[in-house]
């Protein structure tokens, strides 16, 4: 090999530099000791560093000896200045590139929302024969929209699957895209793991509701002696929040205090969020006051917490505080405030915030627009929500989901389903939140056929492994009268959170299976989950539906004194209903006196129903008078009081109540029942003659009545019309709406098929007795959902035990 000989000019230049005792730097060597090139390089570096890109580009274009390092510096300058067009023009014109050049350009495109172009550029890089390094691979994997499943085999082929940075990026991408099993495989195959590895895996598990797996990872991380960062603490607080485990959260809080500076606002915000979601307002307030630094997120969490607890005054106080201490008005937590206004609901606050957004020119932003749709929907102004939705130029999946949810909340499940179909037609993929909302629409319509179709669709979409989607599915099956399928869904769920347990406890309560509801409650505690107010509401409702006053008071006291929770009005209502139906009217009065809320129609309706059961006419009169004033258009108290008087032979009093009812223009709501046959709903009213099969329906009922007579059936005429002869009373009982629906289902479904009937009013005593006999005669399960609960009739017995 011929030895290298430097040019004479270079030797001369070197000798002069040496004489000046100035050592040559890398730029001198790269420019071949050319003074002009060296000066250009120095000037170019200065201009890039000072951000004078236009002048830097002029120098770059004039440079006699451009190299790839200079090109990369120019591209990086354009990237920092936010000029992707100039960067792309320069990149396309370049005749020399290396892996770093391609990586910079991919980052520029990804940062400007052009993820698909960045991924395409990676393909171009490969086609041009440029081998990507670990930085290039990590960059493209992090690009939103990158198909990590197709890229992973290529990473292995390049031999980069042992690089911890690349593996962390792959793992994180799998977690973010919901492929938690694939992320776990990457994790297990990694030859080396660091804090970033564990943080990504813990956060991925917590996002998917796999809280126990996240805890195990955290324990393994500690055993390996890895340091816990602020991201570790934040991820573990997410786990504690998901489990509603106050004890675990406080342990993490203690670890944070020992391990990191107390002024870390990022972790303090995570702690605020944890205490907020655990409903610990005292701890929340104390932490907030002790924080040496607060940011926009800190106030956002506080506002949301106080809004959830109906503290409108504190919400407004915090908002005004933010305005006075110098926060930029454009970054105030308007979305959170709108959410609070919706949850209260407080339309005036919502409208004021909307007006500020219009003045600031922020009303058209996607996040704020979605929050406005949600707020107006929750405040019952669905038309306003629809107008905002229609005027949105760019409707995201979140926008569609907000509108679908609004329709469900406002009793328009059919329109919610239409929106869901429209969303799919425009090419948007429903997410897990959409799944939960549309499942609720199916529950509202009580269409089990539709619910099963949705179950299949979301399973194929990969959403049903998520704990929230699974809980929505469970709730749908329970409300559609399919308790067995709800239980199967519960058993098959890989992970269960407090929402899941609350849903199954509520399902058992609605079916009158109080012992199973209580068993599930105890199992929930044994799993280490912390019950919330909704959990206790379901347990108390189970006691109410089964008539268990001692158990009801036990769990009511447990809630107040052991868990330190303040009962809602709904909890008091369950307690009053349970005690009243057991005939403990003195205890009912004591609870009423202790209750820190104003009484309402629900509470007095419970008392009135209890009076009807026990014949307490004096208290019934008081309860009815209360209801006449509180709910003047509700016919129920008039009907109950009139029937009680009639049953006691007080015909004049009964007639007087009916006269008052007529004079006030109050009409009794007609009884309606409906049944689903082959995904179509068939509705019936009492003594209905509109169905084309009415002759066959009546013939079916007459046949059943003959069999019932053989079993000793005796009609209860107290449930029939008063002041008419016995023959008309019997005739009116025969064709109550639920009986017509059951007969129709018997004719139109195969033998042995369960029959599910929904009813808008409470079932009468005679219909209840009749349906028990029908279930035995036809050997079918008959599930009836009335206005209060489910009745599961089988072999002549009802799940309610004749207590409803």
């Amino acid at each position: 090999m011929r030895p290298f000989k430097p040019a004479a000019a270079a030797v001369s230049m070197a000798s002069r530099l040496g004489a000046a005792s100035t050592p040559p730097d890398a730029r001198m060597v790269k420019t071949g000791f050319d003074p002009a090139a060296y000066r250009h390089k120095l000037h170019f570096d200065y201009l890039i560093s000072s951000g004078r890109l236009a002048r830097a580009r002029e120098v770059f274009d004039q440079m006699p000896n451009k190299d790839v390092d200079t090109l990369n510096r120019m591209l990086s300058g354009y990237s920092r200045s936010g000029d992707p067009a100039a960067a792309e023009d320069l990149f396309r014109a370049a005749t020399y590139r290396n892996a770093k050049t391609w990586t910079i350009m991919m980052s520029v495109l990804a940062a400007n929302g052009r993820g698909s172009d960045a991924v395409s550029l990676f393909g171009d890089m490969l086609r041009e024969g440029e081998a990507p390094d670990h930085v290039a691979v990590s960059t493209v994997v992090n690009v939103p929209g990158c198909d990590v499943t197709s890229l992973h085999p290529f990473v292995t082929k390049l031999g980069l699957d042992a690089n911890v940075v690349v593996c962390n990026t792959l793992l994180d991408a799998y977690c973010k895209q919901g492929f938690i099993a694939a992320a776990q495989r990457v994790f297990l195959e990694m030859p080396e793991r660091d804090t970033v590895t564990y943080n990504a895996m813990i956060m991925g598990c917590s996002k998917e509701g796999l809280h126990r797996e996240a805890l195990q990872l955290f324990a393994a991380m500690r055993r390996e002696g890895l340091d816990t960062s602020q991201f570790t603490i934040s991820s573990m607080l997410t786990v504690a929040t998901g489990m509603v485990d106050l004890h675990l959260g406080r342990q993490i809080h203690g670890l944070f205090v020992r391990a990191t500076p107390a002024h870390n606002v990022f972790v303090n915000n995570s702690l605020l969020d944890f205490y907020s979601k655990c409903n610990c307002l005292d701890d929340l307030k104390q932490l907030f006051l002790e924080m040496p630094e607060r940011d926009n997120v800190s106030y956002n969490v506080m506002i949301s917490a106080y809004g959830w607890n109906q503290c409108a005054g504190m919400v407004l106080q915090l908002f005004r505080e933010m305005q006075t201490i110098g926060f930029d008005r454009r970054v105030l937590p308007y979305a959170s405030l709108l959410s609070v206004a919706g949850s209260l609901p407080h339309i005036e606050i919502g409208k004021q915030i909307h007006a500020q957004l219009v003045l600031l020119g922020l009303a058209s932003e996607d996040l704020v627009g979605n929050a406005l749709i949600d707020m107006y929907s929750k405040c019952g102004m669905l038309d306003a929500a629809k107008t905002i939705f229609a005027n949105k130029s760019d409707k995201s999946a979140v926008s569609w989901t907000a509108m679908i949810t609004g329709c469900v909340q406002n009793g328009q499940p059919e329109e919610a389903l239409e929106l869901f179909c429209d969303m799919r037609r425009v090419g948007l993929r429903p997410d897990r939140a959409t799944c939960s909302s549309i499942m609720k629409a199916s529950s509202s319509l009580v269409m089990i056929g539709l619910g099963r179709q949705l179950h299949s669709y979301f399973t194929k979409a990969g959403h049903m492994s998520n704990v929230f989607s699974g809980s929505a599915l469970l709730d749908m099956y329970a409300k559609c009268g399919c308790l067995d399928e709800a239980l199967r869904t519960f058993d098959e769920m890989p992970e269960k959170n407090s929402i899941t347990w609350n849903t199954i406890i509520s399902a058992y309560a609605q079916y009158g299976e109080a012992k199973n509801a209580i068993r599930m409650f105890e199992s929930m505690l044994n799993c280490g989950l912390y019950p919330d107010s909704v959990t206790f509401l379901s347990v108390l409702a189970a006691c109410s539906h089964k008539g268990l006053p001692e158990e009801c008071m036990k769990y009511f006291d447990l809630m107040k004194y052991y868990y330190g929770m303040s009962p809602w009005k709904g909890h008091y209502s369950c307690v009053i209903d349970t005690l009243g139906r057991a005939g403990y009217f003195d205890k009912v009065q004591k609870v009423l006196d202790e209750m820190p809320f104003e009484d309402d129609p629900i509470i007095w309706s419970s008392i009135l129903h209890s009076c009807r059961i026990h014949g307490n006419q004096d208290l019934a009169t008081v309860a009815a008078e209360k209801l006449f004033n509180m709910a003047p258009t509700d016919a129920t108290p008039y009907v109950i009081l009139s029937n009680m008087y009639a049953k006691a032979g007080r015909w004049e009093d009964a007639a007087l109540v009916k006269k008052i009812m007529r004079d006030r223009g109050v009409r009794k709501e007609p009884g309606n029942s409906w049944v689903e046959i082959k995904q179509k709903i068939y509705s019936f009213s009492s003594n209905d003659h509109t169905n084309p099969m009415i002759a066959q329906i009546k013939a079916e009922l007459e046949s059943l009545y003959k069999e019932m007579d053989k079993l000793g059936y005796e009609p209860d005429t107290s449930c029939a019309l008063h002041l008419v002869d016995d023959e008309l009373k019997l005739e009116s009982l025969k064709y109550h709406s639920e009986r017509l629906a059951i007969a129709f289902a018997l004719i139109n479904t195969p033998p042995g098929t369960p029959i599910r009937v929904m009813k808008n009013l409470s079932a009468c005593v005679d219909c209840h007795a009749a349906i028990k006999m029908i279930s035995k005669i036809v050997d079918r399960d008959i599930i009836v959902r009335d206005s209060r609960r489910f009745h599961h009739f089988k072999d002549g017995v009802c799940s309610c035990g004749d207590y409803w």
Side-chain angles (χ1 to χ4, degrees):
M1 181 182 292
R2 183 180 299 173
F4 169 75
K5 292 183 179 180
V11 172
S12 175
M13 181 69 178
S15 63
R16 288 199 301 272
L17 288 169
S21 300
T22 304
D25 64 15
R27 285 167 294 197
M28 293 180 189
V29 176
K30 285 182 179 180
T31 57
F33 299 99
D34 181 347
Y38 180 53
R39 284 195 300 273
H40 273 98
K41 186 80 170 174
L42 286 175
H43 192 200
F44 173 78
D45 289 346
Y46 166 73
L47 293 170
I48 285 287
S49 301
S50 59
R52 297 165 63 184
L53 294 182
R55 181 71 184 121
R57 180 60 185 270
E58 291 176 9
V59 173
F60 175 83
D61 291 338
Q62 295 168 9
M63 289 175 73
N65 297 312
K66 300 184 186 75
D67 59 16
V68 73
D69 179 61
T70 313
L71 170 67
N72 292 342
R73 292 210 67 196
M74 193 71 236
L75 284 173
S76 297
Y78 282 136
S79 175
R80 287 193 297 271
S81 68
D83 192 349
E88 191 167 12
D89 289 342
L90 177 60
F91 176 82
R92 298 297 178 193
T95 56
Y96 43 89
R97 307 180 184 116
N98 62 9
K100 185 175 181 180
T101 316
W102 291 90
T103 303
I104 293 170
M105 197 61 228
M106 284 188 286
S107 299
V108 170
L109 293 172
N112 285 273
R114 295 171 59 185
S116 59
D117 290 339
V119 175
S120 297
L121 194 66
F122 183 73
D124 294 340
M125 176 184 181
L126 299 177
R127 281 187 286 274
E128 289 199 11
E130 185 68 56
D133 58 10
H134 71 279
V135 180
V137 170
S138 298
T139 299
V140 74
V141 170
N142 267 322
V143 170
C146 173
D147 184 3
V148 64
T149 56
S150 64
L151 191 64
H152 191 170
F154 180 76
V155 172
T156 304
K157 189 181 292 185
L158 285 172
L160 294 172
D161 54 332
N163 184 287
V164 68
V165 175
V166 173
C167 288
N168 285 344
T169 309
L170 282 170
L171 189 154
D172 185 57
Y174 275 129
C175 288
K176 286 176 179 175
Q177 294 179 27
F179 300 121
I180 198 70
Q184 287 171 330
R185 282 197 300 274
V186 173
F187 179 83
L188 293 172
E189 293 170 2
M190 286 177 68
E192 179 189 354
R193 304 183 188 106
D194 59 13
T195 300
V196 176
T197 314
Y198 278 96
N199 286 348
M201 200 67 233
I202 290 169
M203 180 54 77
C205 287
S206 66
K207 281 176 64 179
E208 294 297 316
L210 304 174
H211 304 307
R212 296 207 170 277
E213 286 82 349
L215 277 172
Q216 290 167 359
L217 286 163
F218 179 66
M221 180 183 182
R222 300 279 288 170
R223 284 194 299 271
E224 289 189 23
L226 293 172
D227 291 334
T228 53
S229 69
Q230 60 179 3
F231 299 105
T232 316
I233 300 292
S234 180
S235 297
M236 288 309 300
L237 286 170
T238 303
V239 171
T241 302
M243 297 177 73
V244 200
D245 191 331
L246 189 60
H247 179 65
L248 173 62
R250 285 185 169 140
Q251 285 184 313
I252 302 299
H253 189 171
L255 178 65
F256 160 60
V257 172
R258 292 193 299 272
T260 60
H263 62 263
N264 189 309
V265 70
F266 174 77
V267 178
N268 274 326
N269 287 341
S270 296
L271 281 165
L272 285 176
D273 184 63
F274 165 72
Y275 285 122
S276 163
K277 289 175 180 172
C278 286
N279 207 26
C280 298
L281 288 186
D282 290 340
D283 292 310
L284 181 77
K285 184 178 180 180
Q286 182 178 349
L287 176 62
F288 181 77
L289 293 174
E290 291 174 354
M291 284 172 65
E293 180 186 353
R294 301 171 193 149
D295 61 10
N296 190 42
V297 176
S298 314
Y299 279 91
N300 215 324
V301 174
M302 294 297 292
I303 285 170
S304 297
Y306 281 117
W308 172 253
N309 285 276
Q310 309 288 302
C311 303
M314 284 301 300
V315 168
L316 293 174
Q317 179 182 323
L318 286 164
F319 182 56
R320 292 191 187 103
E321 186 177 322
M322 289 189 76
Q323 291 175 308
T324 57
I325 62 179
F327 278 100
D328 182 352
R329 291 186 68 194
R330 297 180 64 84
V331 299
L332 293 179
Y334 293 109
S336 293
L337 284 162
L338 288 168
S339 178
V340 167
S343 63
L344 287 173
H346 200 304
I347 189 59
E348 290 308 315
I349 292 177
K351 285 182 175 179
Q352 287 179 29
I353 297 166
H354 190 179
Q356 283 198 39
L357 290 167
V358 172
L359 288 172
L360 292 168
L362 300 174
S364 60
E365 289 189 0
D366 187 54
L367 177 65
V368 170
N370 297 336
L372 284 167
I373 292 170
D374 179 66
M375 183 275 294
Y376 280 117
S377 297
K378 286 178 178 174
C379 289
M381 297 182 66
L382 192 61
D383 288 342
K386 288 177 181 177
T387 300
I388 293 167
F389 177 77
N391 291 335
K392 279 179 70 71
S393 56
D394 185 20
K395 299 181 180 73
S396 63
V398 178
S399 310
W400 285 91
T401 301
M403 197 65 248
I404 289 168
T405 305
C407 289
V408 174
Q409 290 167 340
N410 285 273
Q412 295 187 17
E414 296 94 342
E415 190 161 348
L417 284 168
E418 289 176 11
L419 283 166
F420 176 69
C421 294
D422 291 342
M423 178 182 180
R424 292 178 61 198
R425 274 193 286 269
V426 299
L428 283 174
R429 184 180 178 186
D431 58 17
R432 289 159 185 166
T434 322
C435 167
S436 298
S437 292
I438 207 64
M439 283 291 182
K440 289 176 184 175
S442 178
S443 302
S444 300
L445 290 168
V446 201
M447 293 183 70
I448 188 60
L450 172 64
R452 287 178 177 139
Q453 280 187 326
L454 290 170
H455 183 182
S456 176
Y457 172 79
F458 285 113
T459 299
K460 290 176 183 176
H463 292 323
M464 295 321 302
S465 60
N466 176 263
V467 67
F468 300 104
S469 301
S471 299
L473 177 69
L474 193 163
D475 183 60
M476 183 277 295
Y477 278 128
K479 287 180 177 172
C480 286
C482 302
L483 184 59
D484 289 344
E485 287 178 86
L487 294 173
R488 190 179 308 117
T489 301
F490 178 82
D491 290 337
E492 292 174 355
M493 289 178 67
E495 180 73 12
K496 303 173 181 73
N497 62 10
S498 57
I499 297 172
T500 316
W501 286 94
N502 288 349
T503 305
I504 198 66
I505 293 168
S506 175
Y508 272 129
Q510 288 298 310
Y511 280 81
E513 298 191 20
K515 292 191 186 304
N516 281 329
I518 292 170
R519 176 177 61 81
M520 280 293 181
F521 173 74
E522 298 295 342
S523 298
M524 177 183 179
L525 298 184
N526 291 335
C527 288
L529 287 174
Y530 194 81
D532 57 19
S533 298
V534 177
T535 316
F536 280 105
L537 189 62
S538 296
V539 172
L540 296 177
C543 296
S544 170
H545 290 320
K546 201 65 177 179
L548 303 174
E550 288 78 14
E551 288 85 349
C552 181
M553 293 309 300
K554 169 188 169 182
Y555 290 109
F556 187 61
D557 289 341
L558 185 72
M559 174 189 180
K560 289 195 299 180
Y561 302 120
Y562 183 80
Y563 287 100
M565 297 181 189
S566 299
W568 299 342
K569 189 179 287 188
H571 298 107
Y572 282 101
S573 181
C574 285
V575 170
I576 288 169
D577 185 63
T578 308
L579 295 174
R581 284 152 62 82
Y584 300 152
F585 291 108
D586 53 340
K587 293 183 179 179
V588 168
Q589 187 60 56
K590 184 179 178 184
V591 173
L592 276 173
D593 293 340
E594 293 174 352
M595 186 173 68
F597 304 103
E598 291 291 327
D599 46 17
D600 63 8
I602 295 175
I603 288 173
W604 282 107
S605 290
S606 296
I607 294 171
L608 182 58
H609 281 283
S610 300
C611 293
R612 175 183 59 80
I613 294 168
H614 295 281
N616 189 334
Q617 295 177 37
D618 293 338
L619 184 55
T621 303
V622 173
E625 288 291 345
K626 291 271 188 183
L627 290 167
F628 294 163
N629 295 323
M630 290 179 175
T633 60
D634 184 7
T636 304
Y638 296 93
V639 174
I640 291 175
L641 188 61
S642 173
N643 288 346
M644 286 183 68
Y645 285 151
K647 189 174 182 180
R650 295 170 58 179
W651 298 107
E652 290 183 4
D653 291 333
L656 179 60
V657 172
K658 287 194 172 184
K659 181 179 183 302
I660 295 170
M661 183 177 173
R662 285 194 303 272
D663 292 345
R664 294 179 179 179
V666 179
R667 293 181 176 275
K668 181 182 177 182
E669 183 181 0
N672 290 300
S673 299
W674 57 98
V675 63
E676 181 187 354
I677 308 290
K678 295 179 181 177
Q679 297 184 31
K680 186 176 178 182
I681 298 293
Y682 296 88
S683 183
F684 298 87
S685 58
S686 293
N687 205 28
D688 196 341
H689 287 83
T690 59
N691 191 286
M693 294 182 67
I694 190 61
Q696 292 169 264
I697 292 169
K698 286 192 171 185
E700 180 72 17
L701 284 173
E702 289 300 330
S703 174
L704 289 170
Y705 290 145
K706 288 177 182 178
E707 295 297 319
M708 288 162 62
D709 287 340
K710 294 176 185 177
L711 295 174
Y713 167 65
E714 292 184 8
D716 186 344
T717 55
S718 67
C719 301
L721 299 170
H722 296 296
L723 302 177
V724 296
D725 60 38
D726 289 343
E727 187 175 342
L728 282 174
K729 285 182 179 181
L730 292 173
E731 190 69 17
S732 70
L733 283 175
K734 278 186 177 182
Y735 306 119
H736 277 188
S737 62
E738 55 265 59
R739 303 193 199 194
L740 294 173
I742 290 169
F744 179 79
L746 287 170
I747 296 167
N748 290 283
T749 57
T753 307
I755 295 171
R756 294 179 176 85
V757 175
M758 308 298 152
K759 183 175 171 60
N760 65 327
L761 302 177
S762 181
C764 74
V765 174
D766 189 64
C767 281
H768 193 269
I771 298 170
K772 283 199 297 183
M773 288 191 170
I774 292 171
S775 72
K776 186 172 184 178
I777 292 165
V778 301
D779 192 23
R780 293 222 211 175
D781 286 17
I782 301 175
I783 299 100
V784 178
R785 190 183 85 176
D786 66 11
S787 59
R788 286 176 57 84
R789 58 178 296 170
F790 277 96
H791 298 265
H792 188 161
F793 300 92
K794 183 177 182 179
D795 297 328
V797 177
C798 180
S799 60
C800 73
D802 298 337
Y803 186 92
W804 84 97

